[in-house]
Coordinates of all heavy atoms in Angstrom, one line a residue:
M1 N 0.9 -1.2 0.0 CA 0.0 0.0 0.0 C 0.9 1.2 0.0 O 1.8 1.4 0.8 CB -0.9 0.0 1.2 CG -2.0 1.0 1.2 SD -3.2 0.8 2.5 CE -2.4 1.4 3.9
K2 N 0.6 2.2 -0.9 CA 1.5 3.3 -1.0 C 1.0 4.4 0.1 O -0.2 4.4 0.4 CB 1.5 3.9 -2.4 CG 0.2 4.6 -2.8 CD 0.4 5.1 -4.2 CE -0.9 5.7 -4.6 NZ -1.2 6.6 -5.5
A3 N 2.0 5.2 0.5 CA 1.7 6.2 1.5 C 0.8 7.3 0.9 O 0.9 7.6 -0.3 CB 2.9 6.8 2.0
A4 N -0.1 7.8 1.7 CA -1.0 8.9 1.2 C -0.2 10.1 0.9 O 0.7 10.5 1.6 CB -2.0 9.2 2.3
T5 N -0.6 10.7 -0.2 CA 0.1 12.0 -0.6 C -0.9 13.1 -0.3 O -2.0 13.2 -0.9 CB 0.4 12.0 -2.2 OG1 1.2 10.9 -2.4 CG2 1.0 13.3 -2.6
W6 N -0.5 14.0 0.6 CA -1.3 15.1 1.0 C -1.2 16.3 0.0 O 0.0 16.7 -0.3 CB -1.0 15.6 2.4 CG -1.4 14.5 3.4 CD1 -0.6 13.5 3.9 CD2 -2.7 14.4 4.0 NE1 -1.4 12.8 4.8 CE2 -2.6 13.3 4.9 CE3 -3.9 15.1 3.9 CZ2 -3.7 12.8 5.6 CZ3 -5.0 14.6 4.6 CH2 -4.9 13.5 5.5
V7 N -2.3 16.8 -0.4 CA -2.3 18.0 -1.3 C -3.0 19.1 -0.7 O -4.2 19.0 -0.2 CB -3.0 17.6 -2.7 CG1 -3.0 18.8 -3.6 CG2 -2.3 16.4 -3.3
E8 N -2.4 20.3 -0.7 CA -3.1 21.5 -0.1 C -4.1 22.0 -1.2 O -3.7 22.3 -2.3 CB -2.0 22.6 0.2 CG -2.5 23.7 1.0 CD -1.3 24.6 1.4 OE1 -0.3 24.1 1.8 OE2 -1.5 25.8 1.2
V9 N -5.3 22.2 -0.8 CA -6.4 22.6 -1.7 C -7.0 23.9 -1.4 O -7.8 24.4 -2.2 CB -7.4 21.5 -1.9 CG1 -6.8 20.2 -2.4 CG2 -8.1 21.2 -0.6
G10 N -6.7 24.5 -0.3 CA -7.3 25.8 0.1 C -7.3 26.0 1.6 O -6.6 25.3 2.3
R11 N -8.0 27.0 2.0 CA -8.1 27.4 3.4 C -9.5 27.1 3.9 O -10.5 27.2 3.2 CB -7.7 28.8 3.6 CG -6.3 29.2 3.0 CD -5.8 30.5 3.5 NE -5.6 30.6 4.9 CZ -4.6 30.1 5.6 NH1 -3.6 29.5 4.9 NH2 -4.5 30.1 6.9
M12 N -9.5 26.8 5.2 CA -10.8 26.5 5.8 C -11.8 27.7 5.6 O -13.0 27.5 5.4 CB -10.7 26.3 7.4 CG -10.0 25.0 7.7 SD -9.6 24.9 9.5 CE -11.3 24.7 10.1
A13 N -11.3 28.9 5.6 CA -12.2 30.1 5.4 C -12.8 30.1 4.0 O -13.8 30.8 3.8 CB -11.4 31.4 5.6
D14 N -12.2 29.3 3.1 CA -12.8 29.3 1.7 C -14.1 28.5 1.7 O -14.9 28.6 0.7 CB -11.8 28.6 0.7 CG -10.5 29.4 0.6 OD1 -10.5 30.6 0.9 OD2 -9.5 28.8 0.3
V15 N -14.3 27.6 2.7 CA -15.5 26.8 2.7 C -16.3 27.0 4.0 O -16.0 26.3 5.0 CB -15.1 25.3 2.5 CG1 -16.4 24.4 2.3 CG2 -14.1 25.1 1.4
P16 N -17.1 28.0 4.0 CA -17.8 28.2 5.3 C -18.8 27.1 5.7 O -19.1 26.3 4.8 CB -18.6 29.5 5.0 CG -18.1 30.0 3.7 CD -17.5 28.9 3.0
P17 N -19.2 27.1 6.9 CA -20.2 26.0 7.4 C -21.4 26.0 6.5 O -21.9 27.1 6.1 CB -20.5 26.4 8.8 CG -19.3 27.2 9.3 CD -18.8 27.9 8.1
G18 N -21.8 24.8 6.1 CA -23.0 24.6 5.3 C -22.7 24.7 3.8 O -23.6 24.7 3.0
H19 N -21.4 24.9 3.4 CA -21.0 25.0 2.0 C -20.1 23.9 1.6 O -19.6 23.1 2.4 CB -20.3 26.3 1.8 CG -21.2 27.5 1.9 ND1 -21.7 28.0 3.1 CD2 -21.8 28.3 0.9 CE1 -22.5 29.0 2.8 NE2 -22.6 29.2 1.5
A20 N -19.9 23.8 0.3 CA -19.1 22.8 -0.4 C -18.2 23.5 -1.4 O -18.5 24.6 -1.9 CB -20.0 21.7 -1.0
A21 N -17.1 22.8 -1.7 CA -16.2 23.2 -2.8 C -15.8 22.0 -3.6 O -15.6 20.9 -3.1 CB -15.0 23.9 -2.2
R22 N -15.6 22.3 -4.9 CA -15.1 21.2 -5.8 C -13.7 21.5 -6.2 O -13.4 22.6 -6.6 CB -16.0 21.2 -7.0 CG -15.6 20.1 -8.0 CD -16.5 20.3 -9.3 NE -16.4 19.2 -10.2 CZ -15.5 19.2 -11.1 NH1 -14.5 20.1 -11.2 NH2 -15.4 18.2 -12.0
V23 N -12.8 20.5 -6.0 CA -11.4 20.7 -6.5 C -11.0 19.4 -7.2 O -11.7 18.4 -7.1 CB -10.4 21.0 -5.3 CG1 -10.8 22.2 -4.5 CG2 -10.4 19.8 -4.3
E24 N -9.9 19.6 -8.0 CA -9.4 18.4 -8.7 C -8.0 18.1 -8.2 O -7.2 19.0 -8.0 CB -9.4 18.6 -10.2 CG -10.8 18.6 -10.8 CD -10.8 18.4 -12.3 OE1 -9.7 18.1 -12.9 OE2 -11.8 18.6 -12.9
I25 N -7.8 16.8 -7.9 CA -6.5 16.3 -7.5 C -6.1 15.2 -8.4 O -6.8 14.2 -8.5 CB -6.5 15.8 -6.0 CG1 -7.0 16.9 -5.1 CG2 -5.2 15.2 -5.6 CD1 -7.1 16.5 -3.7
D26 N -5.0 15.4 -9.2 CA -4.6 14.4 -10.2 C -5.8 14.0 -11.1 O -6.0 12.8 -11.4 CB -4.1 13.1 -9.5 CG -2.8 13.4 -8.7 OD1 -2.2 14.4 -9.0 OD2 -2.6 12.6 -7.8
D27 N -6.5 15.0 -11.6 CA -7.6 14.9 -12.5 C -8.8 14.2 -11.8 O -9.8 13.8 -12.5 CB -7.2 14.1 -13.7 CG -6.2 14.9 -14.6 OD1 -6.3 16.2 -14.6 OD2 -5.4 14.3 -15.2
V28 N -8.8 14.0 -10.5 CA -10.0 13.4 -9.8 C -10.7 14.5 -9.2 O -10.2 15.2 -8.3 CB -9.5 12.4 -8.8 CG1 -10.7 11.8 -8.0 CG2 -8.7 11.3 -9.4
P29 N -12.0 14.7 -9.6 CA -12.8 15.7 -8.9 C -13.3 15.3 -7.5 O -13.9 14.2 -7.4 CB -14.0 15.9 -9.9 CG -14.1 14.7 -10.7 CD -12.7 14.0 -10.7
V30 N -13.0 16.1 -6.5 CA -13.5 15.7 -5.2 C -14.2 16.9 -4.6 O -14.1 18.0 -5.0 CB -12.3 15.3 -4.2 CG1 -11.5 14.1 -4.8 CG2 -11.3 16.5 -4.0
A31 N -15.1 16.6 -3.7 CA -15.9 17.6 -3.1 C -15.6 17.7 -1.6 O -15.4 16.7 -0.9 CB -17.4 17.2 -3.2
I32 N -15.4 18.9 -1.1 CA -15.1 19.2 0.3 C -16.3 19.8 0.9 O -16.9 20.8 0.3 CB -13.9 20.1 0.4 CG1 -12.7 19.4 -0.2 CG2 -13.7 20.6 1.8 CD1 -11.5 20.3 -0.5
F33 N -16.7 19.3 2.0 CA -17.9 19.8 2.7 C -17.6 20.3 4.1 O -16.8 19.6 4.8 CB -19.0 18.7 2.8 CG -19.4 18.1 1.5 CD1 -18.8 16.9 1.0 CD2 -20.3 18.8 0.7 CE1 -19.2 16.4 -0.2 CE2 -20.7 18.3 -0.5 CZ -20.1 17.1 -1.0
N34 N -18.2 21.4 4.5 CA -18.1 21.9 5.9 C -19.4 21.7 6.6 O -20.4 22.4 6.2 CB -17.6 23.3 5.9 CG -17.4 23.9 7.3 OD1 -17.9 23.4 8.2 ND2 -16.7 25.0 7.3
V35 N -19.5 20.8 7.5 CA -20.8 20.6 8.3 C -20.5 21.2 9.7 O -19.8 20.5 10.5 CB -21.2 19.1 8.4 CG1 -22.4 19.0 9.2 CG2 -21.3 18.6 7.0
D36 N -21.0 22.3 10.0 CA -20.8 23.0 11.3 C -19.4 22.9 11.8 O -19.1 22.7 12.9 CB -21.7 22.3 12.3 CG -23.2 22.4 12.0 OD1 -23.6 23.4 11.3 OD2 -24.0 21.5 12.4
G37 N -18.5 23.2 10.9 CA -17.0 23.3 11.2 C -16.3 22.0 11.1 O -15.1 21.9 11.3
E38 N -17.0 20.9 10.8 CA -16.3 19.6 10.6 C -16.2 19.4 9.1 O -17.2 19.5 8.4 CB -17.1 18.5 11.2 CG -16.3 17.1 11.3 CD -17.0 16.1 12.1 OE1 -18.1 16.4 12.7 OE2 -16.5 15.0 12.1
F39 N -15.0 19.0 8.6 CA -14.8 18.9 7.2 C -14.8 17.5 6.7 O -14.3 16.6 7.4 CB -13.5 19.6 6.8 CG -13.5 21.1 6.8 CD1 -13.6 21.8 7.9 CD2 -13.6 21.8 5.6 CE1 -13.7 23.2 7.9 CE2 -13.6 23.1 5.5 CZ -13.7 23.9 6.7
F40 N -15.3 17.2 5.5 CA -15.4 15.9 4.9 C -15.0 16.0 3.4 O -15.2 17.1 2.8 CB -16.8 15.3 5.0 CG -17.3 15.2 6.4 CD1 -18.0 16.2 7.0 CD2 -17.1 14.0 7.1 CE1 -18.5 16.1 8.3 CE2 -17.6 13.9 8.4 CZ -18.3 15.0 9.0
C41 N -14.4 15.0 2.9 CA -14.1 15.0 1.5 C -14.5 13.6 0.8 O -14.2 12.6 1.3 CB -12.6 15.2 1.3 SG -12.0 15.2 -0.4
L42 N -15.3 13.7 -0.3 CA -15.8 12.6 -1.0 C -15.5 12.8 -2.5 O -15.2 13.9 -2.9 CB -17.3 12.5 -0.8 CG -17.9 11.8 0.4 CD1 -17.5 12.6 1.7 CD2 -19.4 11.7 0.3
D43 N -15.6 11.7 -3.2 CA -15.6 11.9 -4.7 C -16.7 12.9 -5.0 O -17.8 12.8 -4.5 CB -15.9 10.5 -5.4 CG -14.7 9.6 -5.5 OD1 -13.6 10.1 -5.5 OD2 -14.9 8.4 -5.6
D44 N -16.5 13.7 -6.0 CA -17.5 14.7 -6.4 C -18.5 14.1 -7.3 O -19.7 14.6 -7.3 CB -16.8 15.9 -7.0 CG -17.9 17.0 -7.3 OD1 -18.5 17.4 -6.3 OD2 -18.0 17.5 -8.4
T45 N -18.2 13.1 -8.0 CA -19.1 12.5 -9.0 C -20.0 11.5 -8.3 O -19.5 10.5 -7.7 CB -18.4 11.9 -10.2 OG1 -17.5 12.9 -10.8 CG2 -19.3 11.4 -11.3
C46 N -21.3 11.7 -8.5 CA -22.2 10.7 -7.9 C -22.0 9.3 -8.4 O -21.6 9.2 -9.6 CB -23.7 11.2 -8.2 SG -25.0 10.2 -7.5
S47 N -22.3 8.3 -7.6 CA -22.1 6.9 -8.1 C -23.2 6.5 -9.0 O -23.1 5.4 -9.6 CB -21.9 6.0 -6.9 OG -23.1 6.0 -6.2
H48 N -24.2 7.3 -9.1 CA -25.4 6.9 -9.9 C -25.3 7.3 -11.3 O -25.5 6.6 -12.3 CB -26.7 7.4 -9.3 CG -27.9 7.1 -10.0 ND1 -28.7 8.0 -10.6 CD2 -28.5 5.9 -10.4 CE1 -29.7 7.4 -11.2 NE2 -29.6 6.1 -11.1
A49 N -24.9 8.6 -11.5 CA -24.8 9.2 -12.9 C -23.8 10.4 -12.8 O -23.2 10.5 -11.8 CB -26.1 9.5 -13.5
Q50 N -23.8 11.1 -13.8 CA -22.8 12.2 -13.9 C -23.4 13.5 -13.2 O -23.9 14.4 -13.9 CB -22.4 12.5 -15.3 CG -21.6 11.4 -15.9 CD -20.3 11.2 -15.2 OE1 -19.6 12.1 -15.0 NE2 -20.0 9.9 -14.9
A51 N -23.3 13.6 -11.9 CA -23.8 14.8 -11.2 C -22.7 15.1 -10.2 O -22.0 14.2 -9.7 CB -25.1 14.5 -10.5
S52 N -22.6 16.4 -9.9 CA -21.6 16.9 -9.0 C -22.1 17.1 -7.6 O -23.0 17.9 -7.4 CB -21.1 18.2 -9.6 OG -20.1 18.8 -8.7
L53 N -21.7 16.2 -6.7 CA -22.2 16.3 -5.4 C -22.0 17.6 -4.7 O -22.8 18.0 -3.8 CB -21.7 15.1 -4.5 CG -22.1 13.7 -5.0 CD1 -21.4 12.7 -4.1 CD2 -23.6 13.5 -5.0
S54 N -21.0 18.3 -5.1 CA -20.7 19.6 -4.4 C -21.8 20.6 -4.8 O -21.9 21.7 -4.1 CB -19.3 20.2 -4.8 OG -19.2 20.3 -6.2
D55 N -22.6 20.3 -5.8 CA -23.8 21.2 -6.1 C -25.0 20.7 -5.4 O -26.1 21.3 -5.6 CB -24.1 21.1 -7.6 CG -23.0 21.8 -8.5 OD1 -22.3 22.7 -7.9 OD2 -22.8 21.4 -9.6
G56 N -24.9 19.7 -4.6 CA -26.1 19.2 -3.9 C -26.4 20.0 -2.6 O -25.8 21.0 -2.3
D57 N -27.5 19.5 -1.9 CA -27.9 20.1 -0.7 C -27.3 19.4 0.5 O -27.4 18.2 0.7 CB -29.4 20.0 -0.5 CG -30.1 21.0 -1.5 OD1 -29.5 22.1 -1.8 OD2 -31.2 20.7 -1.9
L58 N -26.6 20.1 1.4 CA -26.0 19.6 2.6 C -27.1 19.4 3.7 O -28.0 20.2 3.9 CB -25.0 20.5 3.2 CG -23.5 20.2 2.9 CD1 -22.7 21.2 3.6 CD2 -23.1 18.8 3.3
D59 N -27.1 18.2 4.3 CA -28.1 17.9 5.3 C -27.3 17.7 6.6 O -26.8 16.6 6.8 CB -28.9 16.6 4.9 CG -29.9 16.2 6.0 OD1 -29.8 16.7 7.1 OD2 -30.8 15.5 5.6
A60 N -27.1 18.7 7.4 CA -26.3 18.6 8.6 C -26.8 17.7 9.6 O -26.1 17.0 10.3 CB -26.1 20.0 9.2
D61 N -28.2 17.6 9.7 CA -28.8 16.7 10.7 C -28.4 15.2 10.4 O -28.2 14.4 11.4 CB -30.3 16.8 10.7 CG -30.8 18.1 11.2 OD1 -30.0 18.8 11.9 OD2 -31.9 18.6 10.9
R62 N -28.3 14.8 9.2 CA -28.0 13.4 8.8 C -26.5 13.3 8.5 O -26.0 12.2 8.1 CB -28.8 12.9 7.6 CG -30.3 12.7 8.0 CD -31.0 11.9 6.9 NE -31.1 12.6 5.6 CZ -31.6 12.0 4.5 NH1 -32.0 10.8 4.6 NH2 -31.6 12.7 3.4
C63 N -25.8 14.4 8.5 CA -24.4 14.5 8.0 C -24.3 13.8 6.6 O -23.6 12.9 6.4 CB -23.5 13.7 9.0 SG -21.7 14.1 8.7
A64 N -25.1 14.4 5.7 CA -25.2 13.8 4.4 C -25.3 14.9 3.3 O -25.6 16.0 3.6 CB -26.5 12.9 4.3
I65 N -25.0 14.5 2.1 CA -25.1 15.3 0.9 C -26.2 14.7 0.0 O -26.1 13.5 -0.2 CB -23.8 15.5 0.2 CG1 -24.0 16.5 -1.0 CG2 -23.2 14.2 -0.2 CD1 -24.3 17.9 -0.6
E66 N -27.1 15.5 -0.5 CA -28.1 15.0 -1.4 C -27.8 15.4 -2.8 O -27.5 16.6 -3.1 CB -29.5 15.7 -1.0 CG -30.7 15.1 -1.7 CD -32.0 15.6 -1.1 OE1 -32.2 15.5 0.1 OE2 -32.7 16.2 -1.9
C67 N -27.7 14.4 -3.7 CA -27.3 14.6 -5.1 C -28.3 15.5 -5.7 O -29.5 15.4 -5.6 CB -27.3 13.3 -5.8 SG -26.9 13.4 -7.5
P68 N -27.8 16.5 -6.5 CA -28.7 17.5 -7.1 C -29.5 16.9 -8.3 O -30.5 17.5 -8.7 CB -27.8 18.6 -7.6 CG -26.5 17.9 -7.9 CD -26.4 16.8 -6.8
L69 N -29.1 15.7 -8.8 CA -29.8 15.3 -10.0 C -31.0 14.4 -9.7 O -32.1 14.6 -10.2 CB -28.8 14.5 -10.9 CG -29.2 14.2 -12.3 CD1 -29.7 15.4 -13.0 CD2 -28.1 13.5 -13.1
H70 N -30.8 13.3 -8.9 CA -31.9 12.4 -8.6 C -32.2 12.3 -7.1 O -33.1 11.5 -6.7 CB -31.7 11.0 -9.2 CG -31.4 11.0 -10.7 ND1 -30.2 10.6 -11.2 CD2 -32.1 11.4 -11.7 CE1 -30.2 10.8 -12.5 NE2 -31.4 11.3 -12.8
G71 N -31.4 13.0 -6.3 CA -31.8 13.1 -4.9 C -31.3 12.1 -3.9 O -31.6 12.1 -2.8
S72 N -30.4 11.1 -4.4 CA -29.8 10.2 -3.4 C -29.0 11.0 -2.4 O -28.3 11.9 -2.8 CB -28.9 9.2 -4.1 OG -29.6 8.1 -4.7
A73 N -29.1 10.5 -1.2 CA -28.3 11.1 -0.1 C -27.1 10.2 0.2 O -27.3 8.9 0.2 CB -29.1 11.4 1.1
F74 N -26.0 10.7 0.4 CA -24.8 10.0 0.8 C -24.3 10.4 2.2 O -24.2 11.6 2.4 CB -23.6 10.2 -0.2 CG -24.0 9.6 -1.6 CD1 -24.6 10.4 -2.5 CD2 -23.6 8.4 -1.9 CE1 -24.9 9.9 -3.8 CE2 -23.8 7.8 -3.2 CZ -24.5 8.6 -4.1
D75 N -24.0 9.4 3.0 CA -23.4 9.7 4.3 C -22.0 10.3 4.1 O -21.1 9.6 3.5 CB -23.3 8.4 5.1 CG -23.0 8.7 6.6 OD1 -22.0 9.4 6.8 OD2 -23.7 8.2 7.5
L76 N -21.7 11.4 4.7 CA -20.4 12.1 4.5 C -19.3 11.3 5.2 O -18.1 11.5 4.9 CB -20.4 13.5 4.9 CG -21.4 14.5 4.1 CD1 -21.4 15.8 4.8 CD2 -20.9 14.6 2.7
R77 N -19.6 10.5 6.2 CA -18.6 9.8 7.0 C -18.2 8.5 6.3 O -17.0 8.1 6.5 CB -19.1 9.5 8.4 CG -19.4 10.8 9.2 CD -20.4 10.6 10.3 NE -21.8 10.2 9.7 CZ -22.9 10.4 10.4 NH1 -22.9 10.8 11.6 NH2 -24.0 10.0 9.8
T78 N -19.1 7.9 5.6 CA -18.8 6.6 5.0 C -18.8 6.6 3.5 O -18.3 5.7 2.8 CB -19.8 5.6 5.5 OG1 -21.1 5.9 5.0 CG2 -19.8 5.5 7.0
G79 N -19.5 7.6 2.9 CA -19.7 7.6 1.4 C -20.9 6.7 1.0 O -21.2 6.6 -0.2
D80 N -21.5 6.0 1.9 CA -22.6 5.1 1.6 C -23.9 5.8 1.2 O -24.2 6.8 1.8 CB -22.9 4.1 2.8 CG -21.8 3.1 3.0 OD1 -21.1 2.8 2.1 OD2 -21.7 2.7 4.2
P81 N -24.6 5.3 0.2 CA -25.9 5.9 -0.2 C -26.9 5.6 0.9 O -26.9 4.4 1.4 CB -26.2 5.3 -1.5 CG -25.5 4.0 -1.5 CD -24.3 4.2 -0.7
I82 N -27.7 6.5 1.3 CA -28.7 6.2 2.3 C -30.1 6.4 1.8 O -31.1 6.3 2.5 CB -28.5 7.1 3.6 CG1 -28.4 8.6 3.3 CG2 -27.3 6.6 4.3 CD1 -28.1 9.4 4.5
S83 N -30.2 6.7 0.5 CA -31.5 6.7 -0.2 C -31.3 6.4 -1.7 O -30.2 6.7 -2.2 CB -32.2 8.0 0.0 OG -31.5 9.1 -0.5
L84 N -32.3 5.9 -2.3 CA -32.2 5.5 -3.7 C -32.3 6.8 -4.6 O -32.8 7.8 -4.1 CB -33.3 4.6 -4.1 CG -33.3 3.2 -3.4 CD1 -34.6 2.4 -3.7 CD2 -32.1 2.4 -3.9
P85 N -31.9 6.7 -5.9 CA -31.6 5.5 -6.7 C -30.2 5.0 -6.6 O -29.9 4.0 -7.1 CB -32.0 6.0 -8.1 CG -31.6 7.5 -8.1 CD -32.0 8.0 -6.7
A86 N -29.2 5.8 -6.0 CA -27.9 5.3 -6.0 C -27.8 4.1 -5.0 O -28.4 4.1 -4.0 CB -26.9 6.4 -5.5
V87 N -27.0 3.1 -5.4 CA -26.8 1.9 -4.6 C -25.3 1.7 -4.3 O -25.0 0.9 -3.4 CB -27.4 0.7 -5.2 CG1 -28.9 0.8 -5.2 CG2 -26.9 0.4 -6.6
E88 N -24.4 2.3 -5.1 CA -23.0 2.2 -4.9 C -22.5 3.4 -4.0 O -22.9 4.5 -4.2 CB -22.2 2.2 -6.2 CG -22.6 1.0 -7.1 CD -22.1 -0.3 -6.5 OE1 -21.1 -0.3 -5.8 OE2 -22.8 -1.4 -6.8
P89 N -21.5 3.1 -3.2 CA -20.9 4.2 -2.4 C -20.0 5.1 -3.2 O -19.6 4.7 -4.3 CB -20.1 3.5 -1.3 CG -19.7 2.2 -1.9 CD -20.9 1.8 -2.8
V90 N -19.7 6.3 -2.8 CA -18.6 7.1 -3.3 C -17.5 7.0 -2.3 O -17.7 6.7 -1.2 CB -19.1 8.6 -3.5 CG1 -20.1 8.7 -4.6 CG2 -19.6 9.2 -2.3
R91 N -16.3 7.2 -2.9 CA -15.1 7.1 -2.0 C -15.0 8.3 -1.0 O -15.4 9.4 -1.4 CB -13.8 7.1 -2.8 CG -13.7 5.9 -3.7 CD -12.3 5.9 -4.4 NE -12.2 7.1 -5.2 CZ -11.0 7.4 -5.8 NH1 -9.9 6.7 -5.6 NH2 -11.0 8.5 -6.5
V92 N -14.6 8.0 0.2 CA -14.3 9.1 1.2 C -12.8 9.2 1.2 O -12.0 8.3 1.3 CB -14.8 8.6 2.6 CG1 -14.4 9.6 3.6 CG2 -16.3 8.4 2.5
H93 N -12.3 10.5 1.1 CA -10.9 10.8 1.1 C -10.5 11.4 2.4 O -11.3 11.9 3.2 CB -10.6 11.7 0.0 CG -11.0 11.2 -1.4 ND1 -10.4 10.1 -2.0 CD2 -12.0 11.5 -2.2 CE1 -11.0 9.8 -3.1 NE2 -12.0 10.7 -3.3
H94 N -9.2 11.3 2.7 CA -8.6 11.8 3.9 C -8.6 13.3 3.9 O -8.2 13.9 2.8 CB -7.2 11.2 4.1 CG -7.1 9.8 4.0 ND1 -7.5 8.9 4.9 CD2 -6.6 9.0 2.9 CE1 -7.3 7.6 4.5 NE2 -6.8 7.7 3.3
I95 N -8.9 13.9 4.9 CA -8.9 15.4 5.0 C -8.3 15.9 6.3 O -8.6 15.3 7.3 CB -10.3 16.0 4.7 CG1 -10.2 17.5 4.5 CG2 -11.3 15.6 5.7 CD1 -11.4 18.1 3.8
D96 N -7.5 16.9 6.2 CA -6.8 17.5 7.4 C -7.0 19.0 7.3 O -6.8 19.6 6.2 CB -5.3 17.1 7.4 CG -4.6 17.8 8.5 OD1 -4.8 17.3 9.7 OD2 -3.9 18.7 8.2
T97 N -7.3 19.6 8.4 CA -7.5 21.1 8.4 C -6.7 21.8 9.5 O -7.0 22.8 10.0 CB -9.0 21.4 8.6 OG1 -9.5 20.8 9.8 CG2 -9.9 21.0 7.5
S98 N -5.6 21.1 9.9 CA -4.7 21.8 10.9 C -4.1 23.1 10.3 O -3.9 23.2 9.1 CB -3.6 20.8 11.3 OG -2.9 20.3 10.2
D99 N -3.9 24.1 11.1 CA -3.3 25.4 10.7 C -4.3 26.2 9.8 O -3.8 27.1 9.1 CB -2.0 25.2 10.0 CG -1.0 24.4 10.7 OD1 -1.1 24.4 12.0 OD2 -0.2 23.7 10.1
G100 N -5.6 25.8 9.7 CA -6.5 26.5 8.9 C -6.4 26.2 7.4 O -7.0 26.8 6.6
V101 N -5.5 25.2 7.1 CA -5.3 24.9 5.7 C -6.0 23.5 5.4 O -5.9 22.6 6.3 CB -3.8 24.8 5.4 CG1 -3.5 24.2 4.0 CG2 -3.1 26.1 5.6
I102 N -6.6 23.4 4.3 CA -7.3 22.2 3.9 C -6.3 21.3 3.1 O -5.9 21.8 2.0 CB -8.6 22.4 3.1 CG1 -9.6 23.3 3.9 CG2 -9.3 21.1 2.8 CD1 -10.8 23.7 3.1
R103 N -6.1 20.1 3.6 CA -5.2 19.2 2.8 C -6.0 17.9 2.6 O -6.7 17.5 3.5 CB -3.9 18.9 3.5 CG -3.0 20.1 3.7 CD -1.8 19.8 4.5 NE -1.0 20.9 4.8 CZ -1.2 21.7 5.8 NH1 -2.2 21.4 6.7 NH2 -0.5 22.8 6.0
V104 N -5.9 17.4 1.4 CA -6.6 16.1 1.1 C -5.6 15.1 0.6 O -4.7 15.4 -0.1 CB -7.7 16.4 0.0 CG1 -8.2 15.1 -0.6 CG2 -8.8 17.3 0.5
A105 N -5.8 13.9 1.0 CA -5.1 12.7 0.4 C -6.1 11.7 -0.1 O -7.1 11.3 0.6 CB -4.3 12.0 1.5
L106 N -6.0 11.4 -1.4 CA -6.9 10.6 -2.1 C -6.9 9.2 -1.4 O -5.8 8.6 -1.1 CB -6.7 10.5 -3.6 CG -6.9 11.7 -4.4 CD1 -6.5 11.5 -5.8 CD2 -8.3 12.3 -4.2
S107 N -8.1 8.6 -1.3 CA -8.2 7.2 -0.8 C -7.7 6.3 -1.9 O -7.8 6.5 -3.1 CB -9.6 6.9 -0.5 OG -9.8 5.5 -0.4
D108 N -7.1 5.2 -1.5 CA -6.6 4.2 -2.5 C -7.8 3.3 -3.0 O -7.6 2.6 -3.9 CB -5.5 3.3 -1.8 CG -4.2 3.9 -1.8 OD1 -4.0 4.9 -2.6 OD2 -3.4 3.5 -1.0
D109 N -8.9 3.4 -2.3 CA -10.0 2.5 -2.6 C -10.4 2.7 -4.1 O -10.4 3.9 -4.6 CB -11.2 2.8 -1.7 CG -10.9 2.5 -0.3 OD1 -9.9 1.8 0.0 OD2 -11.6 3.0 0.6
E110 N -10.8 1.7 -4.7 CA -11.4 1.8 -6.1 C -12.7 2.5 -6.0 O -13.5 2.4 -5.1 CB -11.6 0.4 -6.7 CG -10.3 -0.2 -7.1 CD -9.4 0.6 -8.1 OE1 -10.0 1.0 -9.0 OE2 -8.2 0.7 -7.8
A111 N -13.0 3.3 -7.0 CA -14.2 4.1 -7.1 C -15.3 3.1 -7.4 O -15.1 2.1 -8.0 CB -14.2 5.2 -8.1
Ligands
LIG201 S1 -26.9 11.2 -10.4 FE1 -26.9 11.3 -8.3 S2 -28.7 10.2 -7.7 FE2 -28.7 10.1 -9.9

């Protein structure tokens, strides 16, 4: 297993609570979410079709993101779909926000 490569993608202040940002790392689009000050990073592309999860609605109560195209919700902690039509998870990536800087390391898991 290769070591995670951390990439600086922005500052915490760039993604206020309740918001998302889309960035690309090695041509992989990922979405960064801020849920009440806690940050999560998932694949940006929905596992169901070609939709950008960073354009979806954040559900802080369920710690989930709702896909803007067909409405599947994904758990931000696990990437698992918690409502249809999506049935496959999206990858969850490593995220670090020490020093106010957002750093992401892509997960090795297959999409
Ligand atoms: S593209 Fe996301 S639920 Fe269909």
